[in-house]
Amino acid sequence: MKALANDIHNQDSFQVFESNQLAKDYFLATIPPRGCASFDVALQKKGKNNILITLVITSDQAAVSIPNAPFGGFWSEKSLNAQSFEVFLNSIEQELTGRGIQSLTITQAPKAYESQSDLINYLLFKSGWELKSMVSHQFFCGRKKIKKFLEKESPKLVAKLKAGKLTSSHSQISNFEFLNKIKLWYNQKGFKFNVNEDLLVHQVSSFPDRYFLIKLELKEQTVGYALAVKLTTNSIYYFLSAIDPSIKIASGGDFLLHELFLLAKEEKVDFIDLGSSDLKENANYSLIFFKSRFSNEISNKMTWHKEF
């Protein structure tokens, strides 16, 4: 740990920490890509983090927060001083250029994860950062609302499951055979399977309690999978799903999401992240409409870049 600048604003201090010295609820920030250096940068006041970001230095000497993850970006306390944040950005730039790094890319988490994301995105824009992409995530927010949703929808979905001789379940991951099935089903549909399998296996092995596998079965034959991840302890992220295209199953996606809601209730999370609905340059309107039946909020994930 080292202090690079003191009294930034009202006795704030800029601190740099080696990897994994600081506890982080967002566990993917604790697993840097293999062969890459990483460190945490924090703006502290009286020894407590007002704002924190994890930076990874890639092989081409660029800084990213963070690669191979849904997002990285800044994590703050409930309040954020805009002037201090601007000085914090300048201090990060000085730290990186001092290390010979000439650029930084940040993917800021949606507001459901980080309450100050709207302000952070505004300040990045006003500080001259370039917006590289914007991805919309759909959420179902509210622990009590999740319970009420299940009270209303479960009887209908359970009846449909029984009528179709289907069952759904969830459990922690014991093996990775499901990845081969999902990859096969993607290929059969003509979709690209862009998941880094080695990285996923490493992440699940490092944090087995954060990953859950949802299964849809027809007469003991698995016909659908979904992967759910607790990116933070108060959330569930719907990461990867597929249904066997060779078997016609009405409402298969509904059944997988119903099981996701059951898992969310069991884990007592505050919100469910249903992920994005993009088709490269365009919005995936049909997927947005499907998720709208299981969501009550939308928030954007923004990727910013700056050359120093």
Side-chain angles (χ1 to χ4, degrees):
M1 181 181 73
K2 57 178 179 177
L4 299 181
N6 292 310
D7 199 27
I8 291 177
H9 182 268
N10 194 24
Q11 297 182 342
D12 289 342
S13 63
F14 179 80
Q15 307 282 352
V16 177
F17 297 84
E18 297 302 322
S19 296
N20 297 331
Q21 280 188 274
L22 300 178
K24 286 169 278 189
D25 188 28
Y26 180 53
F27 74 96
L28 292 182
T30 69
I31 311 177
R34 295 172 184 177
C36 296
S38 68
F39 53 94
D40 298 323
V41 183
L43 187 65
Q44 293 190 330
K45 182 176 181 180
K46 296 181 180 179
K48 294 184 178 181
N49 297 325
N50 282 345
I51 189 162
L52 170 71
I53 186 169
T54 298
L55 303 178
V56 174
I57 309 304
T58 63
S59 57
D60 57 355
Q61 292 299 293
V64 182
S65 181
I66 54 178
N68 302 318
F71 48 77
F74 296 96
W75 299 90
S76 72
E77 295 300 319
K78 292 184 179 180
S79 61
L80 177 66
N81 183 281
Q83 187 177 1
S84 292
F85 182 76
E86 182 178 358
V87 178
F88 185 49
L89 285 178
N90 293 333
S91 298
I92 292 173
E93 182 174 340
Q94 291 172 16
E95 171 67 19
L96 291 175
T97 54
R99 293 174 180 240
I101 308 301
Q102 297 301 315
S103 69
L104 174 56
T105 302
I106 295 168
T107 299
Q108 182 61 33
K111 189 175 182 179
Y113 291 97
E114 169 49 62
S115 64
Q116 300 298 311
S117 277
D118 283 351
L119 177 58
I120 289 168
N121 288 322
Y122 170 76
L123 295 173
L124 287 169
F125 174 74
K126 285 298 184 180
S127 296
W129 287 64
E130 178 186 2
L131 180 61
K132 301 295 288 187
S133 70
M134 179 188 301
V135 177
S136 180
H137 279 226
Q138 287 168 267
F139 295 87
F140 196 99
C141 297
R143 189 180 300 187
K144 291 182 179 179
K145 291 181 180 180
I146 290 172
K147 291 181 180 179
K148 289 183 179 179
F149 177 88
L150 286 170
E151 289 171 1
K152 178 182 178 182
E153 300 296 332
S154 279
K156 293 181 288 184
L157 289 168
V158 169
K160 285 184 178 180
L161 276 167
K162 290 181 178 179
K165 298 181 180 180
L166 294 156
T167 58
S168 64
S169 62
H170 62 265
S171 63
Q172 292 187 319
I173 297 172
S174 58
N175 63 73
F176 294 91
E177 178 60 29
F178 71 93
L179 284 178
N180 294 327
K181 285 285 187 71
I182 291 178
K183 191 190 311 184
L184 173 64
W185 296 340
Y186 269 48
N187 291 336
Q188 289 175 346
K189 286 187 173 183
F191 299 156
K192 288 185 178 180
F193 185 77
N194 296 320
V195 175
N196 185 325
E197 295 178 62
D198 290 338
L199 179 60
L200 178 60
V201 170
H202 175 60
Q203 291 170 343
V204 174
S205 300
S206 300
F207 292 88
D209 60 321
R210 292 290 192 108
Y211 287 84
F212 300 87
L213 185 63
I214 295 170
K215 290 197 299 183
L216 183 64
E217 294 179 294
L218 175 63
K219 298 178 181 179
E220 299 184 357
Q221 176 188 355
T222 302
V223 294
Y225 284 113
L227 188 62
V229 190
K230 292 185 72 173
L231 294 177
T232 58
T233 52
N234 69 333
S235 69
I236 284 281
Y237 175 52
Y238 193 64
F239 167 54
L240 186 65
S241 67
I243 295 175
D244 188 344
S246 68
I247 301 176
K248 292 185 179 180
I249 300 174
S251 304
D254 290 17
F255 299 145
L256 290 174
L257 283 176
H258 174 244
E259 192 66 31
L260 177 72
F261 273 71
L262 292 173
L263 172 62
K265 178 184 176 183
E266 181 181 299
E267 291 294 310
K268 299 179 181 179
V269 300
D270 295 324
F271 65 90
I272 299 168
D273 182 355
L274 298 178
S276 61
S277 305
D278 277 8
L279 286 172
K280 293 183 179 179
E281 299 299 325
N282 302 314
N284 188 335
Y285 298 111
S286 61
L287 187 55
I288 290 173
F289 174 75
F290 169 72
K291 290 181 181 179
S292 69
R293 297 189 293 113
F294 295 87
S295 63
N296 57 13
E297 287 193 24
I298 295 177
S299 182
N300 295 327
K301 176 177 69 180
M302 299 187 180
T303 298
W304 300 90
H305 180 80
K306 186 174 184 181
E307 298 282 340
F308 303 141

